[in-house]
Amino acid sequence: MVDNPLTKNIDMSRPPLEIAAYEAADGYQSVRLIAKGLSPEDVLQQVKDSGLKGRGGAGFPTGLKWSFVPQGDDTPQQKYLVVNADEMEPGTFKDRLLMEGDPHLLIEGVIIAAYAIRASKAYIFLRGEYVASERLLRHAIDEAVASGFLGNNILGSGFDLELIVHTSAGRYICGEETALLNALEGKRAIPRAKPPFPQVSGLWGKPTIVNNVETLCNLPGILTYGVDWYHGLTKGSDHGTKLFGVSGRVKTPGCWELPLGLPIRELLEDYAGGMQDGLALRGFLPGGGSTDFMLPEHLDTALDYDEIAKLGSRLATGTMIVLDDKTCPVGMVGNLMKFFAKESCGFCTPCRDGLPWVEDIFRDFEAGRGNEKDLQILHDHVDYLGPGRTFCALAPGATAPLGSGLKYFKEDFERHIKEQCCPYKH
Amino acid sequence: MAKIVIDGVSYEVDPNNNLLQECLSQGLDLPYFCWHPCMGSVGACRQCAVKQYLDADDKDGTLVMACMTPASDGAIISIEDEQARSFRADVIESLMISHPHDCPVCEEGGECHLQDMTLMSGHNYRRYDKKKVTHRNQYLGPFINHEMNRCIACYRCVRYYDDYAGGTDLSAQASHHHVYFGRQADGVLESEFSGNLVEVCPTGVFTDKGFSKHYVRKWDLQSAPSVCVGCAVGCNTTPGERYGSLRRLVNRYNSEINGYFLCDRGRFGFDYVNSEQRLKEPVRLLDSESRTLSSEELAATLAEFSSSRAIGIGSPRASNESNFMLRCLVGDENFYSGFSDTEHGAVQSIIELAADPAFHCPSISEIEQADAVVILSEDVTNTAPRLALALRQSVRNKALSLAEDCHIPQWQDAAVRELAQQQRSPLCILSSYATRLDDVASDTVIESPRVLSAIGFAIANKISATAASSDGGATEGYGELIARVAAQLMAAKRPLVIAGTTAGDTDLIRAAANIARALQEKRGEKPVDLCLLVPEVNSMGLGMLVNKENTLGRALEKLSSGAVSHAVVLENDLYRRADSGVVDAALSRLDNLMVLDLLDTPTTAKASVVLPTTAFSEHEATYVNYEGRAQLSFQVHRNHSAAKPAWRWLNGDQECDVETMVNRCSSEAKGFDKLGQLLPDPAQFVAGMKIPRQSQRYSGRTAIKANLNVHEPKQAVDSESVMAFSMEGISAQKDAAFMASSWAPQWNSNQSISKFQEEINGKLKQGHTGTLLIKKLADSGAYLQAESAYPDVSKGSLEVVLAQQIFGSDELSARSNSIQERMTDPYIGISPADAQAQGVQHGDMVSLDGIDAPVVVCIRSKMRTGVAAIYCGNGEINPHALPETISLGKSESAMGERGIRGLIISDVLEDY
Amino acid sequence: MSKQLIASSGQRARQLTAAEIADIDHEMGIYPDKQAVGLEALKIVQKHQGWVSDESLLAIAGYLNLPAAELEGVATFFNLIYRQPVGRNVMLFCDSVSCWIMGCEGLKAHIKETLDIDFGETSAEGDFTLIPVPCLGDCDRAPVMMVGEDLHRNLTTEKIDEIISHYRRGEGGE
Ligand SMILES: Cc1cc2nc3c(=O)[nH]c(=O)nc-3n(C[C@H](O)[C@H](O)[C@H](O)COP(=O)(O)O)c2cc1C
Ligand code: SF4
Ligand code: FES
């Protein structure tokens, strides 16, 4: 049995596996199990038992989420599964790998999830810029339809599923699951209030599950090789493997499937090859642009949801952005703030009007116009834009690098003020 | 009821509401922007943050948005908590980042919710020193200004305009801090309810264009509680006057009628009051020369009319008091209807039906509760606009009940809409042409009048076989629809049947009554909602005052016969009520015709005596709305010409106050005995002090006439009213219905109304909502039979139905400047097939047989072939001169200046 | 096609092409309501025309019977709907954090110098429009940009010169 279920078929030097080769590598076994009589309840139970947590950022247990979909005759018969393939978080490059490397794995995951929640229609909400993913997914879907894995009465199971690729017109907020639903409905992608959760009233008001690409790619392995096998993959308290990426000035940036629970140092030094020559590590964002900075002293922490949370950051997408000692931390945070300010949907006040102010202040710092008053305003905004203050999690995401950056790189902010310029530019 | 604790104090609250609404209901001050009392919550602005604690042991608590949190039993919250306060101050700081410093020149200043909330939230120093975001403004038509730089992106405008009022041409655009609220391109805002944006916007983005042109501060307006005279709904308004001209008109909250919203006819249709064409002097035509009457001549003239057994013709746009005084002057038997004959009959049957215990005539707020509606050919958007807005809310009852099933609170506005998608409560519209409510209708039937009334009778018959059956031939093909609508009405919790007089077919009223009666018979118990609409502000009052037999036709006959020498016409243009030839013939036989009116009309042109009367804002008066609800409207300002309330002229120009008039009418006129209840009880007023019409901050009083005389002028005494033309007195805190305008400490904007409501959206504390005059009979009546005769339409001709326009069909508002910019020329709406058959194209000018004025052809894709919908304009065409069927002839005339550009109907085929 | 008289803004809808209509009709089978198709139609028209003009927007509104204002609200919300004309090749230049760390600002300056355009501008020859785009999800090969549908990774100034001349020679796209 394999220990890299997500990437076992991936070799980016060649096109992804066609359906026959994919099937030969244990592919679509789970669909055959379903055809043999595995019930939706069984699937749900196995996924619950597997302990799989969502890989889209929030880390919510997948099985539990599915169990909130109302089932029974007196509930809406139309239910939807939506794949969140909007990957746009700065520094995140894992779902692209899965879709371009092994599209059938995602399709198989979709079938399993849709079956478990009894959805007869599924949409892949795909980032518009991912044109290669779109092409490969469409091709793979055609193959799956031709082989009877998608469409009506899948392999004689009585289960119908239509899978549609929807390409986004582009905005980071579309990754937020309720904004995504609005975008899919052709509306402005403004997040929705929760409750009601999409599980109860989602796409076109119908019960809907939104899952991340990587989350769904975990499902075929769980069903094919079993929960015990899945539990055996990990090195820490969370189950399964995960894609981890490293970007920044390291020797060999990249993305690897590794068991959860590996020490960060191993990822950075063994896989990413350590820092480029002449550079030292200043800090890193462990899971994409909306996680808190961690420092070299945290390198021995395990890549595990809880361990990282203990240090005030989040594992989130598992794609690490590395800050070296020749790059300005103020500039790096400023870059992120510009991103968040521009990608705010404009619905709630703190995010809409607070982030541009923060962005402006960073621009002033860069241009040598930093001052104490503005530094205070940055500090104020960490609280002001924090969790529970805004309508959705976009602005709180921005406060993660902002707050931790202000804390860990205090002297850099002060030097910008004192020297009235960016000290890294000289 | 639930118990919650706010800052250590226990309150009993309604758990079905959210915390913000309940805090405000309790009279607490909690700032907010995006929430609106009748639009629910979306949680956008984040201004209403409070601290919520899990239990008594929780010392930290979490910040929550009060508007997005249910007021559940046991909730413990704090408004005063330091963290909550400072978060609210931060929110207002960010809202003000790009807000211009233009309060001194902003029309909203002094009644700006943003100003109020800024102070309340404690933001008074601008730390922001970066570049502000600026926007381009749009031209939005004659009613509304656009100043986007003032926007704080609360999303209320689009939520009101699109979600609440069903508009489609205003939207939120762009994103992040560039969000923009406007049209796709410059152009007139299409909704008939656009004016409410002025009040819905918490700051000065959407302002009243007419008011801006001649602007004064809210506190410098002289105001009084008034009633709109635009149609029979009788919305409550607050007009404001300065320096002798009426400057603007805003909504006055009435929980049973208009709530928070008016239509644009009502809001913008008042400035005929300021018109140069107002009649100013009493004039008599002597030796073919008109002369202003001296006071002696005037007295003599009045005496002459009162002693000459004159005929009096009343008016549905005149007050009860004026109609009543005319009736007193000429005597019951000589007091005639001011309606057309058809309308007279219709109004009389409506009054009869209103007394039937099987029916209940619903108020606007009751209409909002209807969950299945059938409209029989009354184009409510154009005849009783506020009611159309209520119907848009009624179709949402389906969504609300779905939400309840899913445990989604009703105030979760976006969630409820998302859940329901396009599912709505049934609304069936039977009409001869497409209407503005079609977008929310479950069924629209576009048919000839004969078929429409047959369908109406058939629905009743379907519900109860005892009801008269209808012409089976006419309803062919509609069997399924009839069964469906009947079933929907039967299944509903609160079904509603609507008809009215403007379609001109009294069979529709009979059919509507039959449907409601059948429902009542089958459902038992409670009376069924039957809403029968009359067209004008006091159609019901006039109908109740005039004898059934005294039709206008009889009066004109009598005049033509030469049997009388004198006639008095009260605030009425007879050329709108009967065929011009017939009116001419009747008036030409008279020796003396006295016409009382405020503006010149074709009828005043025929008068030998013209007496100028005051407009609605210049006198105190009562009117009876479509429900039979009498309401008192106060005088706002004085008319400085010789104009007087008509009743005063008719009373021989005697000194006499309104109260006496109301009391007389109440005791002498049958059916009016409760009218007196409208008068304020002197015991309510502190130390007998009057209620000031001017605010405590009213400025420039001593300077007003400084160019003439620096002495402070004596305050004018209003001996008649409980209100004073002054800032002195005690404002009516005790009875909100007598408030000159709503204000409470820290609440200078219209949002202050919450301080006067028993609870949010509830009744005004001790507030008058009017008095229902109709007394129910003991027994209900019988089913009615079809009576109307319909023309046989020969080949090549078209059956005529009349179309109404919100801007134009009402005589007085049509003489207001901004309304005129929205008016269209008279048009004839025909189907594409008929256009082809008649060889005419969209925009062609055609003549109609027997009618002088040409009309524009308007091809409507949803017109029934063989039927023509004719809009007569503002008196350009006399509807009573139109034959029942018509054929078109090409006309050489050019199109009028307006063309048909003002027309907003969904089924117009081509732009012109 | 029904148009509302008073909405006239001097602008008129253009005629949708048969190909556009065919593509839009196809989407109608995929989505249960017209509003969803509206956003798809914007993308379709952009695919055919390069951008979405007012005339195109009104045409879509007319064809789907959706309010133009609502469509405008959607069109202006999303990054990848262009409401202004763009050049023959759109450069989606990633300016997010990983690319920034890897020196994308210098590359941006280089493009600016070479083509004389800033973000949001189109080169004088009309061949390139430069638009910043959030993280393209290829951070291990930063700096990155897309030109048309092609992804270009591990950018350097030399590579950018090559890319520009490549597209100038008309060899871009598939
Ligand atoms: C601003 C914002 C952007 C997000 N972007 C993504 C994204 O691109 N992809 C994704 O899978 N989840 C994203 N999420 C998380 C989703 O809202 C959601 O939690 C996730 O799709 C759930 O899937 P999972 O349970 O499989 O993790 C985003 C959340 C926020 C607040
Ligand atoms: S935090 Fe508010 S403005 Fe920002 S993206 Fe979320 S809802 Fe939109
Ligand atoms: S009023 Fe509560 S968030 Fe706006």
Side-chain angles (χ1 to χ4, degrees), chain A residues 99-170:
Chain A
M99 291 185 287
E100 291 184 10
D102 196 10
H104 280 294
L105 183 69
L106 174 60
I107 295 170
E108 187 177 345
V110 168
I111 298 169
I112 297 167
Y115 180 69
I117 64 164
R118 295 176 168 86
S120 59
K121 212 163 179 176
Y123 290 88
I124 300 178
F125 188 93
L126 179 67
R127 218 188 140 171
E129 293 91 339
Y130 280 13
V131 280
S133 304
E134 181 190 357
R135 186 168 40 81
L136 295 167
L137 278 168
R138 286 193 194 280
H139 173 70
I141 289 172
D142 289 346
E143 284 185 321
V145 171
S147 304
F149 295 121
L150 284 173
N152 287 341
N153 193 17
I154 294 171
L155 303 185
S157 63
F159 171 57
D160 305 334
L161 179 63
E162 187 187 357
L163 176 57
I164 295 152
V165 178
H166 170 101
T167 54
S168 170

Side-chain angles (χ1 to χ4, degrees), chain B residues 138 140 169-170 173 182-190, chain C residues 6-7:
Chain B
Q138 290 181 328
L140 297 178
D169 60 329
L170 186 77
Q173 296 163 21
R183 287 175 40 90
Q184 196 274 324
D186 287 32
V188 177
L189 280 174
E190 291 169 2
Chain C
I6 209 147

Side-chain angles (χ1 to χ4, degrees), chain B residues 191-260:
Chain B
S191 168
E192 298 81 3
F193 307 97
S194 67
N196 295 314
L197 287 173
V198 171
E199 295 191 49
V200 162
C201 174
T203 175
V205 177
F206 299 98
T207 53
D208 181 329
K209 204 171 216 170
F211 185 42
S212 296
K213 280 187 193 143
H214 202 179
Y215 178 73
V216 290
R217 291 286 177 216
K218 172 192 182 184
W219 62 75
D220 281 342
L221 286 169
Q222 177 164 267
S223 304
S226 184
V227 172
C228 177
V229 295
C231 79
V233 173
C235 293
N236 289 195
T237 63
T238 304
E241 173 262 11
R242 178 79 173 178
Y243 295 147
S245 69
L246 203 51
R247 299 294 175 83
R248 73 153 177 199
L249 187 145
V250 292
N251 185 73
R252 179 165 64 95
Y253 178 81
N254 182 318
S255 58
E256 290 177 33
I257 308 179
N258 44 304
Y260 305 87

Side-chain angles (χ1 to χ4, degrees), chain A residues 91-93 96 121 123 127 129 131 166-167 169-171 185-189 204 247 249 253 331-332 335 343, chain C residues 30-32 35-36 40 43 73-74 77-80 95-98 100-101 133-137 140 146 149:
Chain A
T92 302
F93 50 104
R96 183 202 274 270
K121 212 163 179 176
Y123 290 88
R127 218 188 140 171
E129 293 91 339
V131 280
H166 170 101
T167 54
R171 273 204 89 82
E185 291 180 17
K187 299 177 182 160
R188 293 163 60 78
W204 290 293
S247 66
R249 296 188 188 276
M332 175 172 169
N335 176 279
E343 292 303 319
Chain C
I30 295 180
Y31 297 93
Q35 191 169 25
E40 297 310 292
K43 292 192 288 192
V74 171
F77 184 87
F78 292 98
N79 292 337
L80 297 180
D95 65 347
S96 283
V97 65
S98 301
W100 180 84
I101 291 175
V133 71
C135 179
L136 280 170
D140 49 345
M146 280 178 90
E149 299 205 332

